[in-house]
Structure formats: structure tokens, C-alpha cells
Amino acid sequence: MDLLYFGRVRARIGRHRETVALPEDVGDVDGLIRWLRGRGGDYDEAFADLSAIRVAVNQELCGLDQPVAGGDEVALFPPMTGG
């Protein structure tokens, strides 16, 4: 799975992208974020406030209940405003 980080998430974690092997017990975005937080440190801090996180799976905005699979691209970023 390819993970892409933007904005404050990227700044906190210190990288813009990583490829991970999705654990078998992770089936949705919520589980993925819980797994990432379980890595501790900057990951836990970056995802501590889920109201400040938006997600896109395979370039489609989605909610925390969106299913994920090993070949997906998941982008995690702060809310954005248009103008």
C-alpha cells in the first residue's frame, strides 16, 4: 500500500510518502489510521485528532469506513478550503 502525506501530517511525520505492507487485520481507513497511530511517536501525534484529517483512497475522497486493500493508494491530509 502506498501512503501519501500532505500538509501538517507530512510535516509531523517527516516524509511525504511510504510503502507499507497492510496488516491482515486492517480492513478500512479507520483501522489503517489506528495501525499507524500504534507505530507511536510522530504517527500518534499526526493522527491524534481525526477531525483534522481527510482521506482519499485511490484519489477518491472517502470516510473512515472506506475499505482498503494492499494495492491501494491512500492520501492523508488536513482539511482544505477553496477560494
Side-chain angles (χ1 to χ4, degrees), residues 22-23 25-38 64-66 68:
L22 187 66
D25 62 336
V26 173
D28 60 17
V29 169
D30 183 61
L32 173 63
I33 292 174
R34 288 176 192 266
W35 176 74
L36 288 168
R37 288 192 71 194
L64 297 177
D65 60 344
Q66 174 69 34
V68 293

Side-chain angles (χ1 to χ4, degrees), residues 3 5 7 9 15 23 25 31-32 37 49 56 59 65 71 82:
L3 301 177
Y5 305 117
V9 177
R15 61 177 66 186
D25 62 336
L32 173 63
R37 288 192 71 194
D49 180 7
Q59 301 181 8
D65 60 344

